[in-house]
Amino acid sequence: MQLQKSEYLSDIWKDGIFANKVIFCTGGAGTICSAQVRAMVYLGANACIIGRNIEKTESAAKEFATIRPDASVIGIGAVDVRDFEALKAAVYRCVMELGSIDFVILGAAGNFVASIEQLSVNAFKSVMDINVLGSYNTIKATLPYLVESAQKHMPGPETLSGTGGRIIFLGATLHYRGMPLQSHACAAKAALDSLSHCVAIEYGPRGVTSNIIAPGPVAATEGLKRLLPSDAEAKYTKSQPLGRLGHVRDVADATVYLLSEAGSYVTGQTLVVDGANWRTSGGMSTYGNIPYPDIVLSDGENAKIAGRRSK
């Protein structure tokens, strides 16, 4: 679906700042990632997005290509980030067709709502594999090109211009305090934080930056639909420090900042984009109208929570 620019990007950014750059994004057809890619394409970048769903991924790529008259956007479906060989093939195609990889967004993720008692070993492993192993595979496959880009655009002694060789992990805030029914997601996102920090330290000397954007509750996303019943959204929104939920544009603007020249000295960091949500006492632990600890003491399934799974 074609969106107005105001829905995914603020007006403060200069047109063309990412001209001739290429962004590679896993899970690029997702609600948040698609806003990030749209913003980058609007500002001059070409893009390659990958995903497991062929139709969804290819359709999103075609739509993104209409954002800018000369944009080149590739959509590669049937790619599971847990499959390193398939991922390497997608990376190779991206480089062959678009010429480079300057930026990587790690957005592929899996999640659902389940207690530890309900959560099977295989389900826990699946979330860890998609989030953590999938991100590691992506980094492993793209780092040679990121290093090349970083070296090409590394600021010199007399200038701070140039941007390339940058990585953004799409994180979360769930694990900062812990969250009921989200042990799998909390463990996975905590691991991603550590992985990003290690990449920043190991590859900083080669000019590569690695950061995390950690969104809070973002309106109209699948994640929020799973965690927050629709009949409780108004009450929950009112409880937020800024009195609103996040918007995909908030995350896209943060992405542009980190990948632009403005973010050239920012690495090994987490940029939390949540309106101070995680610092409030309630968090998401109430799951709408169901208070803690009732939500974890109930023996039965709760129909108001989407995505509950049994063993």
Side-chain angles (χ1 to χ4, degrees), residues 1-12:
M1 180 180 65
Q2 185 71 289
L3 299 179
Q4 296 296 317
K5 176 199 170 188
S6 60
E7 296 184 70
Y8 60 84
L9 186 66
S10 297
D11 289 331
I12 63 171

Side-chain angles (χ1 to χ4, degrees), residues 6-8 217-219 244-252 273:
S6 60
E7 296 184 70
Y8 60 84
V218 176
R244 70 173 179 91
L245 298 177
H247 191 280
V248 292
R249 191 179 74 176
D250 299 318
V251 182
V273 184

Side-chain angles (χ1 to χ4, degrees), residues 50-101:
I50 68 168
R52 285 185 287 179
N53 187 304
I54 297 175
E55 182 179 358
K56 183 179 179 181
T57 304
E58 293 182 352
S59 176
K62 289 178 181 178
E63 190 267 304
F64 297 165
T66 67
I67 293 172
R68 199 183 74 246
D70 59 341
S72 295
V73 182
I74 303 170
I76 309 176
V79 179
D80 190 325
V81 292
R82 294 169 290 185
D83 183 343
F84 185 56
E85 294 304 318
L87 192 53
K88 281 201 303 181
V91 168
Y92 181 77
R93 178 182 167 188
C94 175
V95 174
M96 290 299 100
E97 295 189 25
L98 300 180
S100 65
I101 293 178

